[in-house]
Amino acid sequence: MTKVLIPYYSSYGHIFTMVQAASEGAKSVDGVEVKIARVEEFDVVKKVMSEQDAYVQAQKKQENVPIATHEDLKWADGVVWGIPTRYGSMPAQMKQYLDSAGGLWMNGELEGKVAGIITSTGSIHGGQETTAITSLVPLLHFGFIYVGLPYGENPEQLTADGIGGSPYAASTVAGPDGSVQPDERDLIMAKRLGERVARIAKALHG
Ligand SMILES: Cc1cc2nc3c(=O)[nH]c(=O)nc-3n(C[C@H](O)[C@H](O)[C@H](O)COP(=O)(O)O)c2cc1C
């Protein structure tokens, strides 16, 4: 079996919805097994955000999702990262997951694995591309082989509509107050990214 891991962080559920579409796409490839795992929340953030009903509700829906471990990363042949924007780049929770994986880096244990990114912002120009590109930097240090979302397979990107999707990553726009849910086209592109990561991981790792 080819193994695809989907580690994600999602405060309000948009990334959670997107990674489920990616999971569906990855599972559509024969002989592929998928694990979705959430990156651990910080206590300090939990405390502050627990005053927000939208955060509490979204966390409740994710309570049965297992916490992502470094063993999961070793297990995977391909990884679809679910990374929402925080000030134009990845959340500290996700960076902590990577920063604490120095042992894997040192032994080159993630080298040659396939990676793709799903991201999300509050506003259209809030940093979808910057989050994807800056997240790519540590992923390349680990030796991941990066998979984007080409225009040919994703003609939905050729639009002036306020939706996600770019050559760099699948994405969605949550709206300044988080009230906008992923567009059907965002979900289709997330699904295709999952499928693409799985297909390439299978070709490389069997
Ligand atoms: C601390 C913080 C910083 C954020 N920074 C940005 C930002 O730079 N640009 C932006 O468009 N949205 C920003 N947002 C909005 C989030 O990106 C948005 O809530 C998220 O993508 C929604 O995904 P989720 O529902 O999976 O949490 C920020 C949100 C928080 C809590």
Side-chain angles (χ1 to χ4, degrees), residues 9-16 49 84-89 119-127 172 174-175 178:
Y9 174 75
S10 182
S11 300
Y12 304 110
H14 297 79
I15 286 284
F16 185 43
M49 305 271 267
T85 294
R86 291 287 181 274
Y87 312 115
S89 59
T119 190
S120 165
T121 54
S123 58
I124 299 172
H125 300 295
T172 191

Side-chain angles (χ1 to χ4, degrees), residues 91-108:
Q93 291 85 346
M94 186 58 81
K95 189 68 169 33
Q96 165 67 20
Y97 183 51
L98 292 174
D99 288 359
S100 55
L104 300 183
W105 166 80
M106 198 181 304
N107 298 321

